Amino acid sequence: MVRRKKTPHPFDEHLGSAIRAARRRRSVTREALARQTGIPLSNLKRREDGANETSVSELERISSVLQIPTREIVDMALIDYSAAGSVSRGSAQDGLDKLLASVSEAPRTIDAADNVTYLGHVSPGLLDAANTDERTRETD
């Protein structure tokens, strides 16, 4: 089975940018942050670039090392996300609303053409359905 590459959500790019901005404000190199958080340098780079998703535990470790509340990093990302494609800068709440709207629209994964008529018993036989252990079967 071929495993498809997971595509990050557009929000991940904004979260990565917020992490990078917070790291630079604290004058912490990417190498030092990677070492102190235990996140491999290549992974940290991909997260800052928005190419990979950042897990909650990674975000907590990053904010702990940078001595900045996790909420502050997330709010920075939400504000940027809300303004993406817009001329005005939105709020963190606007970004959250936009993010929730984007993930609540579930993509259709099953098409009508995927329906296959089931051929076989409509329901299990009474013995199979009612008698699931050996003791019950012996009394029949």
Side-chain angles (χ1 to χ4, degrees):
M1 180 173 167
V2 176
R3 195 168 145 190
R4 287 189 291 166
K5 184 177 179 185
K6 191 172 185 180
T7 305
H9 190 277
F11 176 74
D12 292 314
E13 185 177 333
H14 299 280
L15 183 58
S17 294
I19 291 169
R20 181 183 297 113
R23 178 180 58 76
R24 288 179 175 166
R25 271 200 326 265
R26 297 288 190 194
S27 301
V28 175
T29 65
R30 190 181 285 157
E31 291 79 8
L33 183 59
R35 187 176 57 255
Q36 292 174 0
T37 58
I39 300 170
L41 181 60
S42 60
N43 290 358
L44 182 61
K45 181 182 182 329
R46 285 193 297 271
R47 278 142 181 78
E48 283 189 357
D49 292 343
N52 282 28
E53 296 174 340
T54 303
S55 71
V56 172
S57 66
E58 290 170 334
L59 187 56
E60 288 175 342
R61 286 185 279 162
I62 290 167
S63 64
S64 175
V65 168
L66 297 177
Q67 297 178 345
I68 182 172
T70 305
R71 177 66 189 250
E72 190 174 321
I73 295 173
V74 172
D75 282 348
M76 287 171 33
L78 287 170
I79 289 168
D80 285 347
Y81 183 64
S82 71
S86 167
V87 289
S88 64
R89 188 169 173 92
S91 67
Q93 185 61 49
D94 294 336
L96 181 60
D97 292 343
K98 182 178 175 181
L99 180 60
L100 290 174
S102 73
V103 296
S104 65
E105 298 168 4
R108 184 168 173 87
T109 57
I110 298 177
D111 193 71
D114 294 329
N115 262 343
V116 177
T117 304
Y118 178 71
L119 300 175
H121 296 289
V122 175
S123 61
L126 293 177
L127 181 64
D128 294 335
N131 303 316
T132 56
D133 65 355
E134 293 301 315
R135 289 176 300 161
T136 311
R137 288 186 183 158
E138 290 175 8
T139 60
D140 286 342

